[in-house]
Amino acid sequence: MTVPVFRFAPSPNGRLHLGHAYSALLNQKMARAMEGRLLVRMEDIDRERCTPALEQTMLEDLGWIGLQWESPVRRQSEHFGVYSQALEKLIGLDLVYPAFLSRKDIRREIEKIAGETDKWPRDPDGALLYPPSDRQLSQRERDRRMSEGKPFSWRLNMERALQRIALPLNWTETAPETHNVVAQPQDWGDVIVARKDMPTSYHLSVVIDDALQGITHVVRGRDLYHATSVHRVLQHILEIPPPVYLHHTLVLDHDGQKLSKSRKDTSLRDLREQGRTPREISDLVGL
Ligand code: GLU
């Protein structure tokens, strides 16, 4: 039997809070119950916001709450070459295109097409779907803009990707009981898979790393439930076997809002400095 492999994969762009503690400790609890392994991965592709100091603080905080993970910690920033290869494959398959519209341009373009942005479809995170204009540019025009140094992102041509796959995509969600979820990638439109100066995005590197690290169980917050539809598309195109998923409930603050890294009152570091113990942290998150 294969040994289950779990991971906790924070982005070191702020401080860990109680929501992260819950996710990390739940991964550990499940890994132990299944006699599996637990890895930590630093999702630090954003080289401006992620710093070694924040990473160090995160690792100390994870150690303090009692997390025990295997060495070494994988850092995405050390693997841009692998992501580049995947991006090249997507370019070779003609499934991505350079998208030149800034956020402001997107609104303007949509207003031009539809008169207003109110009725334009939005993705599950609430962002306006990317309008079709750049998808229709000629190769010559793309080359011209790129050689002029215009900023752009690589976006997945979702319609073409789904035509290529030509079958419904599913994933296995393991709680409350194991069931199949039908993926809805079309709801996302043309997602960003890489940027001009960075050969990847969250979506691309997460599927590649989960595969390279042999992750069998992805246990993460409910806020990433819908993103799994995009991950299934990329896994299919890149011929990556999917792990099973569990999207857990989020720890909310007193007002029912999602916790954020910028809030101090639930940061593990602050709770520690206030004299809270690791035991109390586990109790606070109900584990
Ligand atoms: N790095 C992501 C975050 O901190 C989590 C990614 C994942 O678990 O798939 O929100």
Side-chain angles (χ1 to χ4, degrees), residues 7-286:
R7 62 24 168 216
F8 177 63
S11 299
N13 55 12
R15 292 201 164 171
L16 293 176
H17 53 58
L18 283 175
H20 298 107
Y22 175 64
S23 198
L25 292 172
L26 181 62
N27 268 282
Q28 174 154 283
K29 186 176 170 181
M30 291 181 68
R32 285 185 176 162
M34 295 172 73
E35 294 179 24
R37 301 165 53 203
L38 176 63
L39 309 179
V40 167
R41 177 169 77 229
M42 288 292 158
E43 302 212 322
D44 60 350
I45 55 174
D46 183 341
R47 303 311 297 139
E48 272 165 35
R49 295 176 62 216
C50 299
T51 67
L54 287 169
E55 177 187 312
Q56 190 51 37
T57 306
M58 279 194 171
L59 292 173
E60 282 168 23
D61 289 348
L62 289 174
W64 176 69
I65 61 169
L67 202 77
Q68 291 179 313
W69 62 92
E70 284 179 23
S71 289
V73 166
R74 182 179 173 92
R75 274 184 208 93
Q76 293 190 323
S77 58
E78 293 169 356
H79 299 277
F80 283 131
V82 186
Y83 311 135
S84 273
Q85 279 173 14
L87 176 62
E88 286 306 321
K89 178 167 176 175
L90 296 174
I91 294 172
L93 290 168
D94 202 13
L95 291 179
V96 289
Y97 63 89
F100 299 95
L101 302 182
S102 66
R103 241 185 238 174
K104 234 195 212 156
D105 298 336
I106 292 176
R107 294 194 79 86
R108 226 177 272 145
E109 181 66 19
I110 292 171
E111 278 160 13
K112 211 167 87 193
I113 300 172
E116 45 161 297
T117 53
D118 291 3
K119 295 203 181 86
W120 193 262
R122 289 177 180 267
D123 72 21
D125 285 346
L128 291 162
L129 292 203
Y130 199 74
S133 30
D134 286 349
R135 209 188 301 156
Q136 291 154 358
L137 290 179
S138 67
Q139 191 56 45
R140 220 173 122 170
E141 180 59 16
R142 283 180 187 161
D143 292 344
R144 189 185 67 78
R145 294 190 190 187
M146 286 160 87
S147 64
E148 275 177 2
K150 278 207 183 324
F152 67 91
S153 301
W154 289 103
R155 284 188 181 259
L156 184 70
N157 185 331
M158 188 60 88
E159 211 175 289
R160 195 176 286 170
L162 295 180
Q163 275 164 10
R164 187 186 160 87
I165 296 172
L167 49 88
L169 287 171
N170 302 298
W171 79 80
T172 303
E173 185 76 25
T174 63
E177 70 280 336
T178 300
H179 61 286
N180 239 347
V181 180
V182 179
Q184 308 284 355
Q186 64 287 346
D187 292 354
W188 286 94
D190 294 353
V191 288
I192 294 178
V193 291
R195 297 184 191 271
K196 182 177 172 224
D197 307 311
M198 186 170 55
T200 190
S201 65
Y202 160 63
H203 295 308
L204 187 59
S205 36
V206 79
V207 298
I208 292 175
D209 281 354
D210 283 338
L212 287 178
Q213 293 192 288
I215 305 299
T216 57
H217 292 67
V218 168
V219 175
R220 62 184 176 195
R222 185 83 196 169
D223 50 341
L224 292 168
Y225 181 87
H226 294 291
T228 307
S229 289
V230 176
H231 302 169
R232 290 294 297 115
V233 173
L234 292 171
Q235 286 159 347
H236 205 277
I237 294 167
L238 298 170
E239 298 171 85
I240 289 173
V244 299
Y245 292 89
L246 188 162
H247 293 93
H248 58 70
T249 50
L250 300 176
V251 177
L252 301 177
D253 68 11
H254 297 303
D255 313 323
Q257 298 295 315
K258 213 176 118 177
L259 303 183
S260 97
K261 282 191 180 119
S262 52
R263 285 193 48 165
K264 282 198 111 204
D265 49 352
T266 58
S267 117
L268 298 182
R269 194 46 69 120
D270 287 296
L271 291 166
R272 182 178 179 175
E273 279 162 9
Q274 287 159 22
R276 299 286 197 146
T277 65
R279 182 68 256 158
E280 285 177 298
I281 302 298
S282 302
D283 288 347
L284 276 170
V285 298

